[in-house]
Amino acid sequence: PFTESEINNIKTLFKINKVLLKENATEKNFRETNFNDFDVIHFATHGLVTGDYNQLQPGLALADPLHNRSWYNDGYLSSEEIARLPLDGQIVILSACNTAVDSGAKYNFGLSELSNSFLEAGARMIVVTQWPIVSKTSSEFTYKFLSSFKKNESNALGKTINHFINNTKYSHPKY
């Protein structure tokens, strides 16, 4: 429910941005992005683990294309497809549930295949979750982190995490 406001708030932090919302958030439109133009790639969507909705691989749910549906544009960006993206040092934020849940696969180093696929594609850093998230809190967390990051604050992610741990409003483990 907070996806659109999350994205609209975050885009104010960047001079150059490309926003794919609602029916425009298709796999085709995402794949056609020149990733070299961006330092941050942010997804606010549903993350699916292996077995969810009969998926064979973890991935991200994107908009289901109304026309020209194909393997290239089927509304599901799988970890295998992500690993082939031409990323080069970007920070990837997966504002979605369970994006770091370990699938038990060999050599995943405690991260999910989904998380590892972005690293394999060339991402420098990933921000992921180990559990279901609260949309409003995720939106606030991401904005605070990226605000600190844009100011070149040292340990922006750690400071954001500590803020949420120490803030009584967010002290419950569900946040």
Side-chain angles (χ1 to χ4, degrees), residues 14-136:
F14 300 93
K15 290 179 184 171
I16 300 173
N17 58 61
K18 178 178 182 178
V19 175
L20 301 174
L21 284 171
K22 299 180 181 177
E23 65 277 352
N24 292 318
T26 64
E27 191 174 356
K28 181 179 182 289
N29 288 343
F30 177 70
R31 287 176 186 266
E32 291 175 352
T33 300
N34 181 355
F35 299 108
N36 292 326
D37 292 341
F38 306 99
D39 295 326
V40 176
I41 298 171
H42 178 255
F43 288 93
T45 187
H46 293 287
L48 302 173
V49 297
T50 302
D52 284 350
Y53 302 101
N54 297 318
Q55 294 299 328
L56 299 176
Q57 297 179 34
L60 298 172
L62 300 177
D64 195 3
L66 302 175
H67 308 289
N68 302 322
R69 196 173 217 281
S70 68
W71 70 269
Y72 182 79
N73 192 36
D74 62 3
Y76 188 70
L77 189 61
S78 72
S79 58
E80 183 178 330
E81 293 169 318
I82 291 164
R84 294 189 205 137
L85 294 172
L87 303 183
D88 187 21
Q90 290 87 350
I91 293 173
V92 176
I93 300 171
L94 302 180
S95 185
C97 297
N98 303 316
T99 53
V101 172
D102 183 352
S103 65
K106 193 174 183 181
Y107 305 119
N108 67 1
F109 307 107
L111 290 174
S112 71
E113 294 168 62
L114 179 59
S115 301
N116 280 330
S117 65
F118 281 101
L119 295 172
E120 188 176 331
R124 179 183 61 182
M125 175 184 183
I126 52 174
V127 178
V128 293
T129 63
Q130 290 277 4
W131 48 80
I133 60 173
V134 177
S135 293
K136 186 175 187 310

